[in-house]
Amino acid sequence: MRGGHPVDDEVLRLPVVDRGVVGTADIDFNDHMNVNVYLRILTTTTIRGLEYCGLGYDYAPKYHCGLFSVDHHARYLSELRLGAPYTTHVRLIEASDRGVRTVALLRDVEEQRIACSLESLLLNVDHVTRKVTPFLPGIAERLAEATKEASGREWSATSCDSIAIPGKLLPV
């Protein structure tokens, strides 16, 4: 984020995770998309955006572990109004042996700008012990590959300094 704001052309280089149009049910009393809708869209986008690393919605039932969101920082940069088409994108910022740090972006297609970003820290939690646990080797390998790929892409955005990922960082 240049000056705290995402750069649109860099976001466009990320895969599109989802597309939508702001509907009547999404609008609040200020005549723009409600904050809860932004968060619902971007939290869903975050998980769907991690599917290629093996951490999508099938991760929990398959491995009896899940990603628990323990910290996130939302930035509302421009309003989305009724009928506005949008796309969502995810970038992996970093990964450790126990967690991932991502930024999900909601892009206003017509205005060609980022409406909202959600930086998240998600930890891998064992569903039996309810404790943070390391990723299985196959997942950790996919995360290391994805982190390396993400680090090779041009990205001038800064991350939230207050979100720190625990554990041993995976190699880039």
Side-chain angles (χ1 to χ4, degrees):
M1 296 179 197
R2 209 173 280 140
H5 295 85
V7 180
D8 190 54
D9 62 325
E10 293 172 345
V11 173
L12 285 173
R13 293 185 196 116
L14 298 171
V16 173
V17 175
D18 201 4
R19 296 177 189 281
V21 176
V22 179
T24 305
D26 302 329
I27 300 299
D28 66 14
F29 58 89
N30 289 316
D31 200 32
H32 60 204
M33 193 159 76
N34 184 283
V35 64
N36 294 319
V37 178
Y38 281 98
L39 292 174
R40 178 181 45 80
I41 290 169
L42 290 176
T43 54
T44 299
T45 293
T46 298
I47 299 303
R48 289 194 55 222
L50 291 170
E51 284 176 352
Y52 74 104
C53 294
L55 296 172
Y57 284 106
D58 64 340
Y59 178 65
K62 189 173 182 179
Y63 296 105
H64 306 289
C65 289
L67 293 178
F68 283 39
S69 179
V70 296
D71 201 352
H72 39 253
H73 178 84
R75 290 183 177 129
Y76 302 95
L77 304 167
S78 65
E79 63 182 359
L80 282 174
R81 303 198 50 173
L82 183 64
Y86 62 83
T87 57
T88 64
H89 311 261
V90 173
R91 184 175 196 284
L92 182 61
I93 297 172
E94 62 185 347
S96 76
D97 60 340
R98 299 182 288 159
V100 295
R101 191 170 166 198
T102 62
V103 62
L105 302 135
L106 185 70
R107 182 177 181 271
D108 183 330
V109 173
E110 287 180 350
E111 298 296 324
Q112 300 180 2
R113 64 183 178 201
I114 306 309
C116 186
S117 67
L118 180 68
E119 188 172 331
S120 299
L121 173 59
L122 303 123
L123 298 181
N124 188 46
V125 174
D126 182 299
H127 282 179
V128 175
T129 66
R130 307 306 274 186
K131 304 275 187 209
V132 175
T133 188
F135 290 112
L136 294 171
I139 301 290
E141 288 167 11
R142 285 192 239 170
L143 282 169
E145 289 172 25
T147 303
K148 184 176 181 177
E149 178 188 327
S151 70
R153 287 189 174 150
E154 182 181 346
W155 193 257
S156 60
T158 58
S159 298
C160 179
D161 291 337
S162 66
I163 298 177
I165 190 167
K168 180 182 172 190
L169 289 179
L170 298 177
V172 176

